[in-house]
Amino acid sequence: MATVGLIGSGHIGGTVARLAVNAGYDVVLSNSRGPETLTDLVDELGPQASAGTVEAAARAGDLVVVTIPLKSYRSVPAEPLAGKVVIDTNNYYPQRDGQIPELDEGSVTSSELLQRHLPQSHVVKAFNNIFFKHLLTLARPGDAADRSALPIAGDDPEAKATVTDFLDRIGYDTVDAGTLADSWRFQPDTPAYGVIYSADPARGEQESPAGAGVLRAALADAG
């Protein structure tokens, strides 16, 4: 079983780590504040989890999840990620990240920015369109009738196959939404962002399964 490295261990990172451990993966967690701040989470996840520096997590991971604010994407170390599949969970929130003209103009997607920064890695967009609490509670075995699907986007077919296998192991079907340039279809303010996994979109707390058909329709509705 592969090791999953996490660059960022907040709500989404911690949840992905939990699902990965439950599926039998080893995980190496990291954040910008140092491994000593992750002791409680590591203890909670058990012996399959450890904490290290961002560089250590990048080197240890056979598959690496980048889950940090978009404004910090240039801090991701490129050299230890060369040749690896990198899952990008980032979204562009101008109120947090500041204005990024290329994204405001729609000439590039946030995942394309990360791919430019990591030219020797294989970036796949995933996990960005679902509330972290729903990500945990909607995970299902492969034969479950109410299994949900998550969208992915990427430019490398083998990398997308790797991520599809990972998602399957942690409890989700996958819908391929296209290339990184197509990943806008499930970014904020699109029909596939968040609400399809909510029983009551106005409140958002209660989860509701969304299968591949529901997700494909939402992606198509993006335009």
Side-chain angles (χ1 to χ4, degrees):
M1 189 71 75
T3 296
V4 179
L6 292 117
I7 298 176
S9 300
H11 290 321
I12 287 290
T15 302
V16 172
R18 189 180 309 280
L19 292 172
V21 165
N22 290 344
Y25 291 90
D26 291 330
V27 300
V28 180
L29 299 136
S30 71
N31 63 19
S32 61
R33 295 176 294 140
E36 65 279 359
T37 65
L38 294 167
T39 300
D40 289 346
L41 179 57
V42 168
D43 289 346
E44 183 182 346
L45 294 177
Q48 290 169 249
S50 62
T53 64
V54 168
E55 180 97 5
R59 293 193 181 280
D62 300 295
L63 177 68
V64 178
V65 182
V66 172
T67 179
I68 59 176
L70 178 62
K71 63 183 178 181
S72 303
Y73 79 91
R74 291 185 182 87
S75 69
V76 177
E79 186 273 330
L81 294 175
K84 296 187 178 185
V85 176
V86 174
I87 297 178
D88 172 32
T89 79
N90 293 331
N91 286 311
Y92 174 43
Y93 301 117
Q95 67 273 25
R96 178 196 66 187
D97 301 312
Q99 300 296 143
I100 301 176
E102 287 177 294
L103 297 181
D104 293 335
E105 296 162 3
S107 61
V108 70
T109 64
S110 58
S111 289
E112 287 179 296
L113 290 181
L114 183 63
Q115 181 66 82
R116 288 180 189 176
H117 177 66
L118 303 174
Q120 297 184 65
S121 302
H122 309 290
V123 173
V124 177
K125 185 84 162 188
F127 297 122
N128 68 297
N129 75 316
I130 186 169
F131 183 38
F132 76 96
K133 292 182 179 179
H134 297 170
L135 178 62
L136 181 63
T137 56
L138 287 174
R140 300 285 191 275
D143 58 354
D146 62 344
R147 204 180 205 212
S148 294
L150 295 175
I152 64 170
D155 297 337
D156 184 284
E158 290 186 10
K160 288 198 282 189
T162 295
V163 175
T164 296
D165 179 66
F166 176 62
L167 291 182
D168 179 53
R169 289 174 181 269
I170 67 171
Y172 285 90
D173 291 337
T174 299
V175 171
D176 188 342
T179 66
L180 293 179
D182 297 317
S183 64
W184 64 270
R185 291 184 177 276
F186 53 101
Q187 289 181 345
D189 301 320
T190 63
Y193 181 79
V195 295
I196 63 170
Y197 307 105
S198 298
D200 180 0
R203 299 181 65 185
E205 285 293 324
Q206 182 62 43
E207 75 277 6
S208 180
V214 171
L215 176 55
R216 288 192 184 98
L219 292 168
D221 285 346

